[in-house]
Amino acid sequence: MKNDNLKLTSSEIGTLWGEYVNGTMTDIVNRYMFSIIEDESIKNLFLIALETFEKQKKQIVSFLEKDGFPVPIGFTESDFNKSAERLFSDTFCLNYLHLMTVHGLLGHTTSLSVSVRKDLREFYNSCDNDAKNMYDLTIELLLEKGKFQRDPYFYPDESPEFISTKDFSDGFFGKGRVLSATEMISSSLNIKKSIMAKALSIGFSQVTESKEVREFLEHSEKTADENIQALTKIMHKDNLPVPMSWESEVTTSKDSPFSDKLMLYHIGFLTQTAQIYHGTGLASAMRTDLGVAYEKAILKSLVITKNWFDIMVKNKWLEQPPLAPNRKEIAKEKQ
């Protein structure tokens, strides 16, 4: 039996379902940004992104339909107001495309790691290659425009060294040491991701029609700012530069480009993926103050995710993914 004729496993169905829903969300945002961008070089990258997802979307639909699974609704034209005023600057749009590509790289790799069928592995390899290409393109354009925010520079020691004191883990009482290069990986990326989440929350809160959604977005903005401040304080303590904020890249428009459903889902998506990145940061943190900052960020994200879930369900905005067979209910039907 050819392994591309095997039935989809639950994990494979889950990845396809998630890739479709998250992909259609990002595609709507990309389409809006493509419509407002004035810089042709940035616009060209968004065109590539739109064409790439259209190709991937068709393949995902084919995989699901072949095994008899319904295609998710995801996000459609009904979630997009094509006549909306500009809400974000060109610079914000380019940075958004770059960071969402980082999310895509993680998502495609995760999907590949649980795929057994050869056709699915080939598909996710292709998706990963597309994402890596976009990653390169966005960085090159950000560098060309002087908009890429590099991480701090460290200077080389004369030779390798071993940790020789327990004070290495102390970040509270002044006995410890400066941040390590391995800790900087997550610290810098988490600040950048929180900066984007804060700016999006500000923009979305300006245009939403729902008071309930607005209050959620304001809470999300506050939490993102607290996470930024916590990590920034640690970096400033070691005289390290931090990434710039993007609030000024959000216009004063009150005209919503998106449905409340899409905006709420987007912030929920960023909050849930932030837990993954904060967890990675916690695992690599060897300074107690850094570990505490990540623990607090994770707990705050859990609170936001609970509120997000409640609002999504209340408004019937949250699609149900495919479920395992309910054996007890099946047995009851025989009685």
Side-chain angles (χ1 to χ4, degrees):
M1 178 187 291
K2 292 184 179 179
N3 65 21
D4 59 354
N5 288 326
L6 298 172
K7 287 186 176 295
L8 291 170
T9 66
S10 54
S11 296
E12 291 169 336
I13 296 163
T15 60
L16 290 167
W17 192 91
E19 292 262 359
Y20 186 92
V21 174
N22 294 332
T24 53
M25 174 202 71
T26 306
D27 185 60
I28 293 293
V29 178
N30 286 346
R31 286 168 59 188
Y32 165 69
M33 290 183 172
F34 178 78
S35 72
I36 63 169
I37 291 170
E38 297 175 351
D39 186 303
E40 287 300 322
S41 58
I42 300 176
K43 200 176 186 75
N44 287 338
L45 294 194
F46 273 84
L47 180 59
I48 295 172
L50 294 174
E51 292 174 344
T52 298
F53 179 70
E54 187 60 30
K55 173 189 66 175
Q56 294 172 356
K57 181 180 177 181
K58 290 177 181 178
Q59 290 178 283
I60 294 171
V61 169
S62 175
F63 286 131
L64 290 172
E65 290 184 338
K66 183 178 179 181
D67 272 47
F69 285 91
V71 177
I73 297 170
F75 295 88
T76 65
E77 293 289 332
S78 63
D79 298 296
F80 181 23
N81 176 13
K82 296 179 181 179
S83 61
E85 297 176 4
R86 171 183 283 269
L87 185 59
F88 304 111
S89 70
D90 284 8
T91 297
F92 179 90
C93 294
L94 179 55
N95 277 287
Y96 172 88
L97 182 59
H98 173 67
L99 279 181
M100 290 303 289
T101 299
V102 173
H103 283 299
L105 283 166
L106 175 63
H108 299 324
T109 302
T110 301
S111 296
L112 174 62
S113 68
V114 298
S115 296
V116 176
R117 275 177 34 173
K118 185 176 181 181
D119 56 350
L120 270 182
R121 285 184 277 121
E122 290 175 344
F123 170 63
Y124 286 126
N125 262 320
S126 173
C127 291
D128 186 54
N129 288 333
D130 288 335
K132 286 188 286 189
N133 179 57
M134 182 57 70
Y135 181 80
D136 286 339
L137 292 173
T138 53
I139 285 184
E140 288 299 324
L141 192 53
L142 284 165
L143 286 170
E144 179 184 318
K145 294 182 176 299
K147 299 295 184 180
F148 188 80
Q149 300 189 58
R150 293 176 178 271
D151 295 336
Y153 290 104
F154 283 9
Y155 295 93
D157 293 324
E158 292 182 0
S159 60
E161 296 183 14
F162 288 92
I163 298 171
S164 60
T165 171
K166 293 180 180 179
D167 288 343
F168 191 85
S169 65
D170 180 22
F172 284 113
F173 304 109
K175 300 176 183 178
R177 43 76 195 180
V178 292
L179 289 170
S180 69
T182 52
E183 291 166 333
M184 281 304 307
I185 299 170
S186 291
S187 297
S188 183
L189 181 58
N190 276 306
I191 290 176
K192 292 175 182 177
K193 285 167 48 58
S194 292
I195 286 172
M196 184 178 79
K198 180 182 178 182
L200 278 175
S201 295
I202 290 172
F204 290 169
S205 67
Q206 289 177 189
V207 300
T208 181
E209 297 293 333
S210 166
K211 179 181 178 183
E212 184 177 40
V213 173
R214 183 176 298 107
E215 289 174 349
F216 172 86
L217 292 168
E218 289 171 350
H219 183 200
S220 171
E221 175 198 339
K222 180 175 180 290
T223 301
D225 185 65
E226 289 171 350
N227 293 338
I228 294 167
Q229 296 307 319
L231 292 175
T232 294
K233 181 180 179 180
I234 291 172
M235 292 181 67
H236 278 165
K237 182 179 177 181
D238 291 340
N239 299 308
L240 296 172
V242 297
M244 294 174 57
S245 66
W246 296 350
E247 290 96 323
S248 61
E249 305 298 334
V250 180
T251 73
T252 57
S253 173
K254 296 181 181 179
D255 189 17
S256 181
F258 313 114
S259 67
D260 285 353
K261 169 190 168 183
L262 185 146
M263 292 187 289
L264 188 64
Y265 184 88
H266 200 330
I267 297 302
F269 165 80
L270 292 177
T271 302
Q272 291 170 61
T273 54
Q275 293 177 41
I276 299 172
Y277 287 97
H278 288 142
T280 302
L282 177 61
S284 63
M286 291 182 284
R287 260 178 52 168
T288 50
D289 57 344
L290 194 57
V292 168
Y294 284 128
E295 287 175 350
K296 288 181 177 179
I298 292 170
L299 290 174
K300 291 175 184 176
S301 293
L302 290 172
V303 172
I304 290 178
T305 300
K306 175 61 169 61
N307 294 338
W308 171 84
F309 180 83
D310 290 343
I311 299 172
M312 291 290 290
V313 171
K314 175 183 174 182
N315 288 280
K316 294 183 171 55
W317 289 339
L318 193 60
E319 279 190 78
Q320 178 175 285
L323 301 177
N326 189 326
R327 301 300 180 182
K328 291 182 179 180
E329 289 299 321
I330 294 172
K332 284 181 181 178
E333 293 174 2
K334 294 291 291 182
Q335 296 177 1

